[in-house]
Amino acid sequence: MKSIHLKLAASAILLSAVFSCKKGEAAANAVQTSDYTVVSDSVSMAATQQVADRKFVKTADINMEVKDVYDATIFIEKQLNELGGFVTVSRLNSNVISEDTFESSDSEATLVKKYQTENRMQARVPSEKLGDFLTRINDKKMFLNSRTILAEDVTNNAKIAQLEKQKLEKTGEVIGKMKNSGDKADRTENNLEQHNQQQIADITLADDLNYSTVDIYIKEPKIRVAEILVTNTKNIDNKYKFNFFYDAKNAFVEGFYIIQRLLVGLITIWPLMLILGFMVYFLRRKKVVFQKPENE
């Protein structure tokens, strides 16, 4: 009997140990799952990464569906303002799917438009705040169609630009020591032109490093309906389409003017009419002369 109790006690201890291990594994998996969720919901590393001695030009392209395009646009502009960014392009359009007019009375009608709203935006945001900006506008999405974040490593480009700048400066010094001649003037002008182009490239690169370009496309998945009260133009057109007495009077006047124009036209060609009359007269006279001997 004692042996049976000992076996039961041992079994209970073993089962409790097994359940404890399972709970520990489940807890560990829960932590890992939680960590994974945080990573998946966070912004891509490409938007936030900072590597020592490396320079990145960051850009982003966002395509998402929102509940209200106009409200989302205002929200995005507000976030940009708070982060020190700005908008360079904002094209808000209402794409009309169908348009119908329904007459409700002799003078009134209702124009029914079915449409979807969209906006294509381009924004510039400080590069160090790109991740924060993307996180904020992510709260407005209903569905994220796509998101592309690029971090172009331009470290070597910056170094090459610096070497090119030094080369141009040395070339300028060498040209300055040359004797005055036409060749020196041409080389000086060419060197200045290259120097200006290099400065422009440096300014552009510095601006791209400081501010990231973000292209944003937002649209509403639902179809909106607008009911607009308009004038019943069809009934008004029918009202004034035909007036018999007025049109008859105008037709009589127009006919009188046509007769006048014909008379004026005939007067204008009187020389031709005169020549034609003489021709007819001589032809008839000649015909009479030829016919007299036959009759005799």
Side-chain angles (χ1 to χ4, degrees), residues 43-50 58 127-128 130-132:
V43 179
S44 170
M45 180 181 178
T48 58
Q49 66 184 353
Q50 293 183 355
K58 300 175 182 178
S127 295
E128 67 274 8
L130 176 60
D132 189 12

Side-chain angles (χ1 to χ4, degrees), residues 117-256:
T117 307
E118 64 178 15
N119 192 4
R120 296 182 183 274
M121 305 178 66
Q122 186 177 86
R124 301 294 302 280
V125 62
S127 295
E128 67 274 8
K129 297 180 180 179
L130 176 60
D132 189 12
F133 174 68
L134 296 178
T135 301
R136 293 189 183 190
I137 66 173
N138 190 59
D139 294 338
K140 276 291 180 180
K141 77 175 188 307
M142 289 178 61
F143 182 78
L144 181 64
N145 292 314
S146 65
R147 184 183 72 183
T148 304
I149 303 173
L150 301 178
E152 182 184 0
D153 188 352
V154 295
T155 307
N156 292 337
N157 296 20
K159 292 179 180 179
I160 292 172
Q162 184 62 30
L163 293 174
E164 186 65 24
K165 184 178 179 180
Q166 294 174 0
K167 176 186 174 182
L168 291 172
E169 290 176 353
K170 291 181 180 180
T171 303
E173 294 176 0
V174 172
I175 295 174
K177 295 177 181 179
M178 293 174 60
K179 294 181 180 181
N180 292 332
S181 63
D183 183 56
K184 178 180 179 180
D186 292 339
R187 292 190 177 187
T188 301
E189 183 179 356
N190 184 49
N191 183 261
L192 287 174
E193 184 179 352
Q194 293 182 14
H195 187 72
N196 290 337
Q197 291 177 354
Q198 188 59 49
Q199 282 186 322
I200 293 172
D202 291 343
I203 293 171
T204 303
L205 180 60
D207 184 64
D208 290 339
L209 288 170
N210 292 329
Y211 286 88
S212 298
T213 301
V214 184
D215 292 313
I216 307 169
Y217 175 70
I218 52 178
K219 68 176 181 179
E220 296 176 5
K222 65 180 180 180
I223 297 176
R224 292 180 177 268
V225 178
E227 299 179 4
I228 306 170
L229 187 64
V230 296
T231 304
N232 187 350
T233 57
K234 183 178 179 180
N235 187 64
I236 293 177
D237 292 340
N238 291 334
K239 181 179 179 180
Y240 297 102
K241 186 174 291 185
F242 187 78
N243 187 317
F244 175 78
F245 294 104
Y246 176 77
D247 292 338
K249 183 188 72 173
N250 285 337
F252 179 79
V253 174
E254 289 294 332
F256 179 71

